[in-house]
Amino acid sequence: MNKILLIIKREYISRVKKKSFLIMTVLGPILFSGLFIVPIWLATRGGDEKVIQVIDESGLFAEEFVSADNMTYVYVAEDLETAKSALAVNNVFGLLYIPEMTIEAPEGVKFYSTQNPGFGLKADLEKKIRERIENIKLINSGLNQEFLDGLKSHVAIQTVNLSDSGSESESSTGAATAVGYIGAFLIYFFIFLYGAQIMRGVIEEKTNRIIEVIIASVKPFHLMMGKIIGVGGVGLTQFLLWVALSSAIVTGITAVVSSDMTPEQIEAMQQVDQLSGMPSPQQSEAQAAIENSMGALGQINIPLVLSCFVFYFLAGYLFYGALFAAIGSAVDSDADSQQFMFPVTIPLIFSVVVLSAVINDPHGSLAFWLSLVPFTSPVIMMMRIPFDVPVWQIALSMVSMVGGFIFTTWLASRIYRVGIFMHGTKVNYKTLAKWFMMKS
């Protein structure tokens, strides 16, 4: 046991001290935050300032195109050919030409520009023309838009969970789906990342003949277990640091946003919230979305989700880590490992593929059995846990994972004890079977 602890300490400290670990620990939260912040920023910043001239020969759209944000519309009285020839000279992005038409046959509209317009601009122009024609038709029929809007109804179903004792608790399917997806993909990502590190570490030590010196004082099984647990500890440490740094980044951004609001605005917002129960005019849509998300998260058993995440993170990593170690001991390079990596990683990839089916029926037979199979359990069960999975199913899945880890460790150790001494041998599945059956 002491030898295993020494190997764990060596693997852990040697990797934590690497510059790559420190760099990724800092950059990880920043990159993950950027995946959410950058698309939102790009969507809200708009494009470059554009000037569009409009020739309306029909007279139906005299006041429809109003300048706003980064789009300026200018109505011109010139003929079409003169306006087209002056596009480049006047530094105008485009020319919208609306010929004589009737609302029954709105045809012949063209947009001239020196550059191919984006999809969003074309769709926006079509929407303005379509809505104007529809409004004219409504007026001619004696109806108005307010009447039609009153015919529409929005129905939102509130989900409530009933316990065995009869008590009720509000639930949120959207929040459960988001939490499940994040947990499942994180486990999938970490198993691949740190499992590959085990395999490459074994290959490197085997190629450099370092392992032959280590084996003189340590049994192959102890070496494999120490390496797997040590690298797993590095992964867990990095994940916890990512959580802490990400929380600090979110707190900092929230503080900056709050500092831009004056005390009068905050007080007015609170008064309106208390009186009407609705968001105040000063409150942005982003702030309202954040508050709704936090309220939905409050309906999920976060301590249970976090504790299960840590378990399946470690159990899934240990389960696959033993197999990755066995692969690393059997080959001499990363290129040779591909033939053995494929069958090992197929269950992981399959578990991600079927996540959509699990979301549609998180308590169905498919989700239940996949959450019991150790090869798919880490990803599938993390997807199901936010949906209030029965405790006995979680316990059964955990027992299955522990049993699976013991089995794969025993299986991998029989290959590992022979493979780490083999150099230059062409390895196939028949060779692995021979190593597995070989007596100590």
Side-chain angles (χ1 to χ4, degrees):
M1 187 65 183
N2 290 333
K3 293 181 179 179
I4 295 180
L5 293 176
L6 288 175
I7 297 171
I8 294 173
K9 182 178 179 181
R10 171 185 173 273
E11 294 292 334
Y12 182 85
I13 295 178
S14 63
R15 282 173 165 77
V16 168
K17 287 184 177 180
K18 288 183 178 180
K19 291 183 179 180
S20 59
F21 175 84
L22 299 176
I23 293 174
M24 284 307 301
T25 299
V26 176
L27 290 182
I30 297 175
L31 294 176
F32 280 122
S33 301
L35 291 176
F36 297 96
I37 296 175
V38 172
I40 296 175
W41 176 73
L42 291 176
T44 56
R45 66 181 292 270
D48 298 330
E49 183 72 26
K50 291 182 176 63
V51 178
I52 296 179
Q53 293 181 340
V54 180
I55 297 179
D56 180 19
E57 295 180 353
S58 67
L60 300 174
F61 307 90
E63 300 179 356
E64 185 64 23
F65 297 95
V66 180
S67 300
D69 298 330
N70 59 334
M71 195 70 65
T72 302
Y73 294 97
V74 179
Y75 284 84
V76 295
E78 302 173 349
D79 62 274
L80 178 60
E81 296 301 324
T82 303
K84 286 165 55 178
S85 61
L87 277 179
V89 178
N90 297 334
N91 194 24
V92 176
F93 178 78
L95 170 66
L96 178 63
Y97 172 67
I98 305 175
E100 289 283 352
M101 65 168 65
T102 61
I103 59 174
E104 289 76 16
E107 300 176 350
V109 181
K110 296 181 179 180
F111 183 79
Y112 299 91
S113 65
T114 56
Q115 301 175 354
N116 194 10
F119 177 81
L121 174 60
K122 181 175 180 293
D124 184 62
L125 294 176
E126 291 175 346
K127 178 182 177 183
K128 290 179 182 294
I129 295 174
R130 181 177 64 253
E131 289 180 348
R132 175 58 179 164
I133 293 176
E134 290 175 353
N135 287 336
I136 295 175
K137 289 182 177 181
L138 288 174
I139 293 174
N140 294 341
S141 64
L143 301 176
N144 55 44
Q145 187 63 44
E146 289 75 12
F147 174 78
L148 294 180
D149 291 340
L151 298 178
K152 300 177 182 179
S153 299
H154 174 72
V155 178
I157 298 178
Q158 182 182 6
T159 56
V160 179
N161 291 342
L162 294 176
S163 64
D164 295 335
S165 61
S167 61
E168 299 180 1
S169 61
E170 187 177 355
S171 63
S172 174
T173 302
T177 301
V179 172
Y181 252 121
I182 293 173
F185 273 100
L186 282 176
I187 289 178
Y188 172 81
F189 171 76
F190 274 105
I191 288 177
F192 262 110
L193 176 64
Y194 292 103
Q197 283 192 20
I198 293 176
M199 184 185 68
R200 293 191 182 97
V202 173
I203 293 175
E204 181 181 358
E205 292 178 353
K206 178 181 176 181
T207 304
N208 297 336
R209 302 297 179 93
I210 299 174
I211 204 163
E212 296 180 4
V213 178
I214 300 176
I215 289 298
S217 57
V218 181
K219 292 182 179 180
F221 177 77
H222 295 164
L223 178 61
M224 184 185 73
M225 285 300 299
K227 187 176 290 292
I228 293 173
I229 297 175
V231 177
V234 174
L236 184 59
T237 300
Q238 190 168 60
F239 173 75
L240 294 176
L241 289 174
W242 280 359
V243 171
L245 292 175
S246 299
S247 301
I249 292 175
V250 172
T251 302
I253 293 176
T254 304
V256 171
V257 173
S258 300
S259 64
D260 293 336
M261 298 182 65
T262 63
E264 290 77 11
Q265 288 177 323
I266 296 176
E267 183 178 358
M269 182 179 67
Q270 293 174 345
Q271 291 177 353
V272 173
D273 290 342
Q274 293 174 356
L275 292 175
S276 64
M278 298 294 292
S280 66
Q282 290 85 1
Q283 188 177 22
S284 65
E285 294 182 1
Q287 291 173 324
I290 292 174
E291 289 184 0
N292 292 335
S293 300
M294 295 304 295
L297 288 176
Q299 301 164 12
I300 297 176
N301 191 345
I302 298 298
L304 175 63
V305 172
L306 292 178
S307 59
C308 288
F309 176 85
V310 172
F311 173 83
Y312 284 104
F313 170 85
L314 294 175
Y317 162 78
L318 294 174
F319 178 87
Y320 278 96
L323 298 177
F324 281 113
I327 294 174
S329 67
V331 299
D332 295 326
S333 64
D334 286 344
D336 297 334
S337 67
Q338 298 306 312
Q339 61 173 322
F340 302 112
M341 285 281 290
F342 183 72
V344 171
T345 56
I346 276 295
L348 267 180
I349 299 173
F350 173 76
S351 62
V352 173
V353 172
V354 299
L355 280 182
S356 58
V358 175
I359 293 173
N360 291 333
D361 190 7
H363 303 285
S365 58
L366 175 65
F368 171 75
W369 289 111
L370 288 179
S371 62
L372 294 185
V373 178
F375 285 96
T376 57
S377 179
V379 175
I380 299 299
M381 200 49 154
M382 274 311 304
M383 185 73 252
R384 296 184 61 208
I385 287 174
F387 290 91
D388 295 328
V389 178
V391 176
W392 69 268
Q393 292 188 17
I394 298 177
L396 187 59
S397 175
M398 289 181 173
V399 171
S400 175
M401 279 301 307
V402 173
F405 163 62
I406 295 174
F407 172 75
T408 55
T409 302
W410 171 76
L411 176 69
S413 64
R414 296 188 64 84
I415 299 174
Y416 185 90
R417 64 194 171 94
V418 180
I420 54 176
F421 296 110
M422 297 297 177
H423 299 277
T425 304
K426 187 176 181 181
V427 181
N428 51 35
Y429 290 101
K430 183 178 180 180
T431 306
L432 292 181
K434 185 185 298 183
W435 292 351
F436 174 77
M437 299 300 295
M438 190 178 297
K439 295 182 179 180
S440 302

